[in-house]
């Protein structure tokens, strides 16, 4: 062979080798260290996704808590291939919307499941559905307080099992036992399924850290807890709202009872970890935190302070020989589904908004991001939007117009007259609020106000009473959700209700009596406050809209007003509204989520 030809072939061979090497290093290539466990179909990892309801990361040993509440979690994520995230946040501070955000990698306001009357639209795809489509055997063992099939959580699961949270079957010991048995059957090639040799996806939801805090006596003693479950719940609920602060001793007792729950849960997780098969990707997270009077609140759901929105997030990737990595980058529960799917070698659906966190393991920085969160807390009469950008955080409370700006980690005082990033976040949250579309009815003055509301199409998707007198005022929704009757006694103050319709094109048919007498002259409609010619009246208000951003300075006149808050040029998507069945409502009432 001629020298020139020989040299050419040599150079070509070198280029091919280099090209293959570069290709193997690409993050999304299945042969890279980035996804070493997915080099072939047979090597796709099992996935165990573990949800710890109501767990604050700063109360876990894994995050440096002084009490050794969770030594087993700490031990498991001290092994090779583990990643622990110190700045993880949920998208909502309560169970239902937080979990649905994780399953869909979308904000609650984007996937539509931001209240108990909303179910997931059929058009949206969930993490388990994608894994099931790609041949994974999928199963879920859940405590069913807010994890019921009703909301769409069961989609994509070959096996979906719910355990009542207020029974022994719903406790961590049974969930762990059932999980170990399920994995054993799977490994032995369970003949009941044609997916016996396929990798599996197992979702476990542990509810035990949620109130009432009532761990077995062994764990109470270890944490110095003295309260019964009933006592801890009564103490927390009696100090639920700001203005009724816990004294130091009561707070200490409540926290000890909470920590005992974590120790009990950790003991069971240790048993689970010891039975995990090889080649299993394990993701452990909490859906939200728990407040202990840091900002006047106890429990969770009504605020976006860090004690409620910061969560635990840790992952352990099979096949990686790197020691535990700890990351301070801002991450969210929206990132969980993208990370799992790419680790399994699958393409992400366009709806997913999160990031693949494995990039951090390859020292690839995540793109700059603004972290969003939100809550609609019906019983507390709160709608709050929040955003975090680096050390800046802002929240906007829609129903009272209160805006707060913080420079983290300090949330003890609001930065007033903020400029730069703080003001940018405030402006952003106002824009987020303008994406909303809702109705607001306000009653002010004296006497007996009787109001009848009927949706002209669809039903009422959500209603939130604001400043109601629980002893005198009444809200009576119809069983089919199409009508609401209000009887209120403002007594010189005002009563308001935030309303959303399942059909954003629908209007409201309104009737009103003041002290038993029809009173059209006391009714104000729309931003202009026009009077109806007669009652009942049908209101669409398409050309007389009010800004969705409320400032708390809105003019209030005696009588009744009805406004539609909507931004011109923006149309909210239809809501997939379905009233929970009686058993679901019973569960929610027992947990304090509805009355």
């Amino acid at each position: 062979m001629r020298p020139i030809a020989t040299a050419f072939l040599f150079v070509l061979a070198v280029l091919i080798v280099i090209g293959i090497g570069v290709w193997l290093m690409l993050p999304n290539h299945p042969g890279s260290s980035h996804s070493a466990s997915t080099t072939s179909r047979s090597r796709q990892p099992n996935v165990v996704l573990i949800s710890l309801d109501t767990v604050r990361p700063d109360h876990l040993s894994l995050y440096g808590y002084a009490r050794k509440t969770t030594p087993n979690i700490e031990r498991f994520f001290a092994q090779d291939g583990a990643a622990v995230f110190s700045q993880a946040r949920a998208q909502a501070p309560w169970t239902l919307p937080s979990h649905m955000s994780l399953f869909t990698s979308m904000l609650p306001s984007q996937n539509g499941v931001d209240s108990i009357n909303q179910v997931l639209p059929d058009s949206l795809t969930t993490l388990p559905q994608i894994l099931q489509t790609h041949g994974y055997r999928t199963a879920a063992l859940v405590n069913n307080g807010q994890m019921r099939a009703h909301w769409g959580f069961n989609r994509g699961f070959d096996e979906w099992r719910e355990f009542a949270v207020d029974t022994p079957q719903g406790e961590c010991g049974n969930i762990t036992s059932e999980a170990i048995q399920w994995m054993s059957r799977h490994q032995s090639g369970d003949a009941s399924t044609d997916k016996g040799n396929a990798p599996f996806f197992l979702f476990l939801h542990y509810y035990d850290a949620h109130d009432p805090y009532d761990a077995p006596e062994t764990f109470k003693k270890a944490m110095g807890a003295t309260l019964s479950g009933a006592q801890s719940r009564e103490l927390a609920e009696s100090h639920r709202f700001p203005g009724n602060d816990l004294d130091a001793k009561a707070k200490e007792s409540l926290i000890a009872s909470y920590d005992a729950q974590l120790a009990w849960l950790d003991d069971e997780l240790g048993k689970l970890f010891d039975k995990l098969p090889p080649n299993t990707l394990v993701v452990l997270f909490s859906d939200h935190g728990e407040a202990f009077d840091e900002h006047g609140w106890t429990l969770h759901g009504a605020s976006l302070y860090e004690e409620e929105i910061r969560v635990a997030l840790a992952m352990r990737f099979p096949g990686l020989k790197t020691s535990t990595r700890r990351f301070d980058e801002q991450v969210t529960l929206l990132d969980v589904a993208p990370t799992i799917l790419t680790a399994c070698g699958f393409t992400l659906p366009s709806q997913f908004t999160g990031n693949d966190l494995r990039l951090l393991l390859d020292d690839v920085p995540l793109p700059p991001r603004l972290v969003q969160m939100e809550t609609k807390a019906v019983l507390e009469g709160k709608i709050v939007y929040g955003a975090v950008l680096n050390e800046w955080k802002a929240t906007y409370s829609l129903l009272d117009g209160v805006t707060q700006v913080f420079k983290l980690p300090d949330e003890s005082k609001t930065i007033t007259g903020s400029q730069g990033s703080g003001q940018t976040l405030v402006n952003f949250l106002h824009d987020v609020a303008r994406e909303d579309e809702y109705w607001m009815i306000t009653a002010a003055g004296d006497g007996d106000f009787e109001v009848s509301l009927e949706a002209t199409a669809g039903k009422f998707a959500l209603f939130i009473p604001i400043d109601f007198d629980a002893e005198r005022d009444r809200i009576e929704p119809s069983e089919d959700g199409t009508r609401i009757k209000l009887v209120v006694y403002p007594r010189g103050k005002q009563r308001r209700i935030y309303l959303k319709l399942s059909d954003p094109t629908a209007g409201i048919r309104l009737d009103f009596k003041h002290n038993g007498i029809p009173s059209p002259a006391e009714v104000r409609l729309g931003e202009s406050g026009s009077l109806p010619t007669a009652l009942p009246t049908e209101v669409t208000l398409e050309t007389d809209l009010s800004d969705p951003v409320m400032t708390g300075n809105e003019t209030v006149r005696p009588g009744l007003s009805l406004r539609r808050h909507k931004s011109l040029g923006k149309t909210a998507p239809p809501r997939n509204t379905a009233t929970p069945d009686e058993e679901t409502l019973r569960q929610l009432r027992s947990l304090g989520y509805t009355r």
Side-chain angles (χ1 to χ4, degrees):
M1 184 177 292
R2 289 182 296 180
I4 293 177
T6 302
F8 173 78
L9 292 174
F10 176 79
V11 171
L12 179 61
V14 170
L15 290 174
I16 291 173
V17 171
I18 293 174
I20 292 174
V22 171
W23 183 62
L24 287 171
M25 292 173 65
L26 291 175
N28 290 324
H29 181 262
S32 69
S33 61
H34 194 66
S35 55
S37 60
T38 59
T39 53
S40 69
R41 178 68 179 84
S42 63
R43 293 298 297 159
Q44 285 175 324
N46 302 310
V47 181
V48 176
L49 179 61
I50 304 170
S51 168
L52 307 182
D53 207 294
T54 322
V55 168
R56 290 175 59 136
D58 60 350
H59 279 244
L60 302 182
S61 307
L62 182 67
Y63 289 88
Y65 190 45
R67 281 179 173 150
K68 284 295 181 181
T69 52
T70 54
N72 289 303
I73 294 175
E74 186 177 18
R75 169 182 60 84
F76 183 79
F77 289 102
Q79 302 179 55
D80 288 351
V84 180
F85 302 92
S86 63
Q87 294 289 326
R89 290 181 176 85
Q91 276 45 70
W94 55 292
T95 301
L96 171 60
S98 181
H99 279 88
M100 197 61 80
S101 286
L102 185 148
F103 273 30
T104 62
S105 192
M106 301 173 73
L107 290 167
S109 55
Q110 294 171 335
N111 62 40
V113 186
D114 56 5
S115 71
I116 63 171
N117 289 328
Q118 309 307 311
V119 300
L120 187 68
D122 293 335
S123 59
L124 296 181
T125 304
T126 65
L127 168 66
Q129 284 179 300
I130 297 170
L131 292 172
Q132 184 187 54
T133 299
H134 285 283
Y136 268 67
R137 181 179 179 185
T138 57
L141 307 171
V142 305
N143 290 279
N144 66 0
Q146 290 184 48
M147 293 298 303
R148 306 201 77 189
H150 167 82
W151 289 289
F153 284 117
N154 64 323
R155 298 178 194 175
F157 284 104
D158 301 320
E159 301 172 64
W160 173 266
R161 296 182 63 191
E162 297 178 7
F163 300 89
V165 297
D166 49 4
T167 68
Q169 287 70 37
E171 293 176 349
C172 54
N174 186 60
I175 296 294
T176 294
S177 176
E178 292 284 351
I180 291 172
Q181 292 178 51
W182 187 92
M183 289 188 294
S184 177
R185 290 195 301 270
H186 178 81
Q187 289 178 283
S188 64
D190 188 346
S192 66
T193 174
D194 59 358
K195 295 182 179 180
N197 295 321
F200 67 79
F201 170 67
L202 178 62
F203 172 60
L204 305 175
H205 176 235
Y206 287 92
Y207 199 78
D208 305 83
H210 196 285
D211 79 292
Y213 317 135
D214 195 17
E217 201 59 40
T218 300
F219 302 100
K220 285 184 178 180
K221 184 177 180 180
M223 295 296 136
T226 58
L227 300 176
S228 67
Q231 289 171 328
S232 68
R233 168 164 283 183
E234 181 181 2
L235 182 60
E237 290 186 343
S238 64
H239 293 80
R240 172 69 175 136
F241 293 89
N244 187 20
D245 297 344
L246 286 165
D247 61 48
K249 185 177 180 179
K251 182 175 179 178
E252 182 180 342
S253 296
L254 200 60
I255 288 175
S257 294
Y258 175 76
D259 288 346
Q261 295 289 108
L262 299 181
W264 178 29
L265 176 57
D266 179 76
D267 189 65
E268 290 298 328
L269 286 173
K271 301 172 187 176
L272 175 74
F273 293 151
D274 289 340
K275 297 296 184 179
L276 293 173
N279 194 32
T280 298
L281 166 60
V282 178
V283 179
L284 178 143
F285 73 96
S286 56
D287 60 344
H288 54 77
E290 188 81 319
F292 291 111
D293 204 27
E294 291 86 350
H295 294 89
W297 297 93
T298 58
L299 304 175
H300 57 269
S303 87
L304 299 180
Y305 291 114
E306 294 291 277
E307 58 267 20
E308 293 193 46
I309 211 71
R310 282 277 292 279
V311 293
L313 179 60
M315 303 178 178
R316 187 174 162 205
F317 297 89
L320 293 184
K321 299 304 181 183
T322 57
S323 57
T324 299
R325 301 278 302 276
R326 289 183 177 267
F327 298 100
D328 296 327
E329 285 81 358
Q330 291 181 2
V331 301
T332 79
L333 295 186
L334 299 176
D335 301 326
V336 171
T339 303
I340 290 174
L341 289 178
T342 53
C344 296
F346 305 137
T347 302
L348 303 182
S350 59
Q351 77 182 45
F352 278 26
T353 61
N355 292 323
D356 176 8
L357 298 183
R358 298 176 313 145
L359 294 170
L360 294 172
L361 295 175
D362 284 347
D363 298 317
V364 177
L366 295 178
R369 71 191 315 187
L370 185 151
V371 174
Q372 288 181 249
M373 49 275 200
E374 55 194 50
T375 187
K376 289 185 170 73
V378 174
L379 294 183
E380 293 81 9
K382 301 285 288 183
I383 296 177
V384 188
Y385 300 102
V388 174
L389 182 63
N390 300 321
E391 74 274 22
W392 288 94
K393 179 176 182 179
T395 61
Y396 168 62
S397 179
L398 176 72
L399 301 181
D400 56 16
V402 173
T403 298
Q404 294 180 299
V405 177
F406 306 107
K407 197 166 186 180
L408 297 175
D410 184 10
E411 284 186 297
S412 63
K413 60 182 178 181
T414 300
I415 298 175
T416 58
S418 60
Q419 301 296 321
S421 296
Q423 189 58 48
T424 298
L425 288 182
V426 171
N427 295 339
F428 171 79
L429 293 178
H430 286 176
D431 288 341
V432 169
R434 288 190 173 94
E435 296 290 335
D436 200 357
E437 179 177 337
Y438 60 93
W439 298 72
M440 185 71 73
I441 187 163
T442 304
D446 294 309
D448 174 356
F449 287 58
E450 184 178 322
V451 186
S452 296
L453 307 169
E454 182 179 359
T456 61
K459 59 183 67 176
F460 289 100
L462 176 64
F463 58 90
I464 299 179
I466 308 158
D467 298 325
F468 267 46
D469 184 331
E471 295 183 0
R472 299 195 65 187
D473 301 328
R474 301 200 316 273
I475 305 176
E476 301 172 357
S478 63
E479 288 189 7
D480 62 4
T482 62
R483 299 178 306 280
I484 296 176
K485 181 180 179 180
L486 311 174
V487 179
V488 297
Y489 305 85
R491 291 183 290 183
K493 299 181 180 179
Q494 63 173 326
R495 304 283 187 258
R496 294 183 296 156
I497 293 189
Y498 168 101
L499 300 163
K500 288 187 77 74
L501 298 176
S502 61
D503 182 348
T505 66
I508 292 178
R509 190 171 293 108
L510 166 71
D511 202 1
F512 170 61
K513 294 179 180 179
H514 188 189
N515 295 328
I517 301 173
S519 305
E522 296 184 70
V523 175
R524 304 286 186 275
L525 302 177
E527 182 69 22
S528 62
S530 62
L531 301 175
T533 56
L535 291 175
T537 185
E538 190 169 302
V539 186
T540 60
L541 307 179
E542 275 297 341
T543 59
D544 194 12
L545 304 173
S546 298
D547 189 349
V549 174
M550 303 186 71
T551 64
N553 298 320
E554 286 75 19
T555 301
V556 178
R557 300 178 182 177
L560 188 80
S561 71
L562 177 63
R563 295 183 179 183
R564 186 179 185 186
H565 293 262
K566 180 180 184 296
S567 295
L568 289 173
K570 296 184 179 180
T571 301
R575 311 281 290 177
N576 195 4
T577 301
T579 303
D581 60 33
E582 186 52 42
E583 174 57 23
T584 301
L585 289 173
R586 185 195 70 78
Q587 290 275 3
L588 293 173
R589 281 193 294 268
S590 73
L591 299 169
Y593 284 102
T594 187
R595 295 192 179 100

